[in-house]
Amino acid sequence: MKQTIFNASLEESMNLVTDQYIKTSFEYFNEKGYEGKLLGFITMQFILFLIFLFSIWIDSQNLQFLFMKVSLINGAFFGLGFVGFVGYLIDLTKIKNQSILSYYYFNVWSNFMIFLLCLQCLVIGIAGAGTIIGMILSGALYTVAFILYFIRLFQNFQKNTFEILYQESTYSNRGADFLDRFVVFAKRYGGLILFLIVIFRIFFPNSDLIQQNGTFRSIFVAINPIIFVPFLYFLYVLSVNNFQGYYLKKYLEDYRQLSDYSIEDWYGKESKRYKESLDQEV
């Protein structure tokens, strides 16, 4: 059988699945409730809807994406949002018997929803850039550029994951590590930075160079789709990190035994597997 990133053996997958990921998955199930997660998905779907409504207004301004209405494209992304929401609800039914996988399922579908949000904003940004460099040039240039960017990211993911699984390369996700440090920094100093920005705007209300200078404004509008590159990259980083859950799911019982978790902790008290283990003890 040809080796791919999806068919590694248990021993090979152990090069990818880290103890930290398993620990995070276990703690996530014990510390987080489902109500907040569902509310998060509803909120993201509502934002998709708001962006769709905004896209209808953009149509009225005669802005298009390669001869297509922006609302038509973003309406399709809004519809795909229901796929993500329903997909998560379906996976929620599995968590009763696979509690350790709740972290994996949540990340899969939340990343999908965030990706749709990014695409909606990207379509609007490209349509806006068309007012400066032309609708055809903007649509063609940025569409091709981002398609190549996505292909490159997937190739990197495939290459790095393959090397980790089969060539025993050390697993390292610097992007995910950076995000963890950034979250810690934001929690500690985010309020202070926001306060300083508000103070700056109060004392220097006319300091917005982009708004005051027509040339700078035109340049900003023309290149605004590039702003989404780092956001898409960090979403890619989170998705790559969550790929560990694919093998955790594939070899679920094996990893339970390797990690030395009890059936109750691993599958949950309400799981069929735990109830069967109680019957066997009797």
Side-chain angles (χ1 to χ4, degrees):
M1 181 184 296
K2 181 180 178 180
Q3 291 180 329
T4 72
I5 61 174
F6 298 104
N7 64 0
S9 66
L10 171 64
E11 291 73 18
E12 291 163 338
S13 72
M14 290 169 63
N15 298 321
L16 177 68
V17 181
T18 63
D19 293 336
Q20 181 60 46
Y21 184 84
I22 295 175
K23 180 182 178 182
T24 301
S25 298
F26 179 73
E27 293 176 347
Y28 184 83
F29 173 73
N30 289 327
E31 296 177 2
K32 308 291 183 179
Y34 295 123
E35 296 80 3
K37 302 186 190 77
L38 286 174
L39 181 60
F41 275 90
I42 293 173
T43 301
M44 286 188 284
Q45 186 65 19
F46 182 65
I47 296 174
L48 285 170
F49 176 65
L50 292 180
I51 297 176
F52 167 62
L53 292 181
F54 180 65
S55 300
I56 295 176
W57 177 83
I58 289 178
D59 290 342
S60 68
Q61 305 301 306
N62 297 319
L63 296 179
Q64 291 185 319
F65 180 92
L66 288 176
F67 303 106
M68 292 182 290
K69 290 184 176 181
V70 174
S71 63
L72 180 64
I73 301 172
N74 282 347
F77 290 141
F78 169 59
L80 286 174
F82 286 104
V83 175
F85 183 68
V86 172
Y88 181 64
L89 290 179
I90 293 174
D91 282 341
L92 273 182
T93 63
K94 304 175 185 177
I95 292 176
K96 180 180 178 181
N97 293 308
Q98 303 171 335
S99 61
I100 193 67
L101 295 178
S102 60
Y103 179 68
Y104 168 67
Y105 288 138
F106 175 77
N107 284 332
V108 166
W109 293 112
S110 63
N111 289 346
F112 175 74
M113 298 285 283
I114 295 172
F115 181 61
L116 293 178
L117 287 170
C118 288
L119 290 181
Q120 279 190 325
C121 294
L122 184 60
V123 168
I124 293 175
I126 293 174
T131 62
I132 305 299
I133 63 177
M135 177 184 65
I136 298 177
L137 178 59
S138 173
L141 176 65
Y142 284 117
T143 298
V144 171
F146 275 96
I147 288 176
L148 293 176
Y149 179 61
F150 292 144
I151 292 175
R152 181 61 177 170
L153 288 179
F154 179 75
Q155 288 175 336
N156 285 339
F157 160 68
Q158 195 172 33
K159 176 178 178 295
N160 295 336
T161 304
F162 189 89
E163 290 177 352
I164 293 170
L165 289 171
Y166 302 110
Q167 299 175 14
E168 298 185 3
S169 175
T170 303
Y171 176 79
S172 176
N173 194 330
R174 295 179 180 178
D177 294 339
F178 173 81
L179 279 179
D180 290 338
R181 291 194 295 270
F182 177 78
V183 169
V184 173
F185 175 84
K187 289 180 178 179
R188 183 173 299 177
Y189 302 108
L192 176 61
I193 293 174
L194 182 61
F195 174 75
L196 293 176
I197 291 175
V198 171
I199 295 297
F200 180 83
R201 296 298 295 179
I202 291 175
F203 288 97
F204 303 97
N206 298 317
S207 60
D208 196 335
L209 181 63
I210 292 178
Q211 290 295 331
Q212 294 182 25
N213 191 302
T215 301
F216 278 103
R217 182 179 183 279
S218 296
I219 294 174
F220 175 78
V221 172
I223 66 174
N224 84 88
I226 299 176
I227 296 174
F228 297 99
V229 170
F231 293 101
L232 291 168
Y233 175 75
F234 284 121
L235 181 61
Y236 154 79
V237 165
L238 293 175
S239 300
V240 169
N241 189 62
N242 196 50
F243 188 67
Q244 298 177 67
Y246 169 80
Y247 279 104
L248 185 63
K249 176 183 177 182
K250 187 173 183 178
Y251 300 112
L252 193 58
E253 176 60 18
D254 297 286
Y255 275 109
R256 182 192 73 79
Q257 296 177 13
L258 288 168
S259 303
D260 199 28
Y261 281 97
S262 67
I263 294 178
E264 177 184 352
D265 290 337
W266 193 256
Y267 293 100
K269 292 182 178 180
E270 302 299 323
S271 67
K272 180 179 178 182
R273 189 66 181 269
Y274 175 64
K275 292 177 180 178
E276 288 176 348
S277 69
L278 293 178
D279 292 338
Q280 292 175 359
E281 292 178 1
V282 175

